[in-house]
């Protein structure tokens, strides 16, 4: 059974903290994505990666960075968390040319 | 840029058919998708259709594509309470592996 896992389902952090969200996929997919999901706004792409150590900005990269040191793992980093980064964060992966994005269960982050 | 629009809410009675509509602007869209998100979970692909098709049926699900009007619909027959979820429409052109998602339609099924 293919799987995308995320390190935490719920996370509470304080303003200014550095936050790491981890995502791991076991399907040997080349491409990995980080989205945030907010009510009424749908999914917005933060960053994506098409290979190890490669990254591209999505639609809303400000305040975020990413790291992909291994093919199976894609990390989202909030350098200094702010309250407007309170959101649901979804990781996804897909193979190049593949038709389906496989999503993790999401991390609900609250920044106080 | 590309845009995908869908209404935010749909309420139906159990046993009725549900129709969720979506419009898109990218004329080079090759793949059109419907994803389902159950409460507290990530998105899961329900079905997809190629742009050279008009219709696709899979058990209770029927996808209709009007390419001229750039209109996609998802029909769920005999809607059940377990169908209550957010449904996302998405499109992708052949030259990209990044889909563009709509904002999602919350389907509420009441007895």
């Amino acid at each position: 059974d293919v799987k995308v896992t995320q390190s935490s389902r719920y996370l509470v952090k304080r303003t200014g903290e550095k936050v790491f969200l981890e995502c791991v996929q076991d399907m040997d997919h080349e491409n990995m994505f980080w989205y945030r999901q907010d009510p009424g706004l749908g999914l917005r792409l933060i960053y994506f990666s098409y290979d190890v150590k490669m990254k591209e900005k999505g639609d809303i990269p400000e305040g975020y960075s990413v790291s992909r040191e291994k093919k199976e793992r894609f990390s989202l980093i909030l350098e200094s968390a702010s309250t407007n980064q309170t959101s649901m964060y979804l990781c996804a992966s897909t193979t190049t040319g593949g038709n389906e994005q496989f999503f993790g269960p999401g991390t609900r982050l609250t920044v106080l | 840029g590309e845009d995908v629009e869908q209404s935010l809410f749909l309420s139906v009675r159990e046993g009725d058919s549900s129709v969720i509509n979506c419009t898109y602007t990218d004329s080079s869209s090759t793949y059109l998708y419907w994803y389902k998100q159950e409460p507290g979970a990530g998105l899961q692909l329900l079905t997809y259709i190629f742009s050279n098709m008009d219709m696709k049926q899979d058990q209770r699900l029927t996808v209709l594509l009007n390419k001229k009007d750039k209109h996609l619909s998802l029909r769920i027959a005999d809607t059940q309470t377990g169908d209550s979820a957010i449904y996302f429409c998405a499109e992708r052109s052949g030259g990209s592996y990044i889909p563009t998602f709509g904002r999602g339609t919350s389907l509420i099924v009441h007895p």
Side-chain angles (χ1 to χ4, degrees):
Chain A
D1 197 19
V2 297
K3 238 180 182 170
V4 179
T5 56
Q6 295 184 228
S7 49
S8 305
R9 293 300 303 271
Y10 300 93
L11 211 51
V12 180
K13 295 291 181 180
R14 297 212 172 269
T15 303
E17 280 193 81
K18 191 168 185 176
V19 182
F20 293 87
L21 303 182
E22 301 271 316
C23 174
V24 177
Q25 49 95 4
D26 65 359
M27 296 164 282
D28 202 37
H29 284 169
E30 298 85 6
N31 310 305
M32 296 187 74
F33 307 80
W34 275 107
Y35 295 91
R36 66 177 280 177
Q37 181 181 10
D38 300 287
L41 296 179
L43 270 66
R44 291 182 290 168
L45 182 63
I46 305 171
Y47 267 97
F48 64 97
S49 168
Y50 53 89
D51 202 350
V52 174
K53 296 193 188 294
M54 307 304 288
K55 60 186 178 185
E56 294 284 345
K57 292 180 181 179
D59 300 319
I60 52 162
E62 297 79 19
Y64 303 94
S65 62
V66 289
S67 171
R68 193 163 180 207
E69 296 297 317
K70 293 186 178 181
K71 192 175 185 181
E72 67 270 19
R73 187 180 299 267
F74 192 33
S75 301
L76 180 70
I77 302 150
L78 287 67
E79 295 288 341
S80 177
S82 63
T83 53
N84 63 12
Q85 292 178 309
T86 291
S87 187
M88 170 72 92
Y89 289 89
L90 292 167
C91 174
S93 73
T94 186
T95 189
T96 301
N99 242 334
E100 178 177 358
Q101 280 200 324
F102 292 86
F103 282 83
T107 296
R108 185 164 292 282
L109 172 68
T110 302
V111 182
L112 301 175
Chain B
E2 304 89 353
D3 201 12
V4 177
E5 297 282 343
Q6 47 184 135
S7 55
L8 291 182
F9 298 99
L10 177 65
S11 178
V12 299
R13 194 182 300 274
E14 192 174 14
D16 287 352
S17 292
S18 308
V19 180
I20 303 171
N21 295 300
C22 169
T23 58
Y24 59 97
T25 58
D26 188 358
S27 57
S28 67
S29 295
T30 305
Y31 306 95
L32 295 130
Y33 306 90
W34 284 104
Y35 281 84
K36 178 183 180 183
Q37 184 182 33
E38 295 185 351
L43 279 69
Q44 190 170 16
L45 182 68
L46 266 183
T47 186
Y48 66 91
I49 190 169
F50 294 110
S51 59
N52 60 359
M53 297 168 65
D54 297 325
M55 185 182 93
K56 182 177 180 182
Q57 187 148 10
D58 183 3
Q59 299 181 337
R60 291 191 297 123
L61 305 178
T62 303
V63 178
L64 294 177
L65 174 61
N66 181 326
K67 195 174 180 183
K68 175 177 168 288
D69 294 338
K70 298 191 185 71
H71 182 268
L72 183 74
S73 67
L74 173 70
R75 178 177 181 269
I76 306 172
D78 187 26
T79 312
Q80 302 298 307
T81 54
D83 295 323
S84 293
I86 302 175
Y87 291 81
F88 288 91
C89 173
E91 63 85 22
R92 179 172 74 89
S93 66
S96 169
Y97 53 87
I98 303 171
T100 299
F101 287 89
R103 296 185 178 192
T105 299
S106 288
L107 175 64
I108 301 160
V109 182
H110 53 91

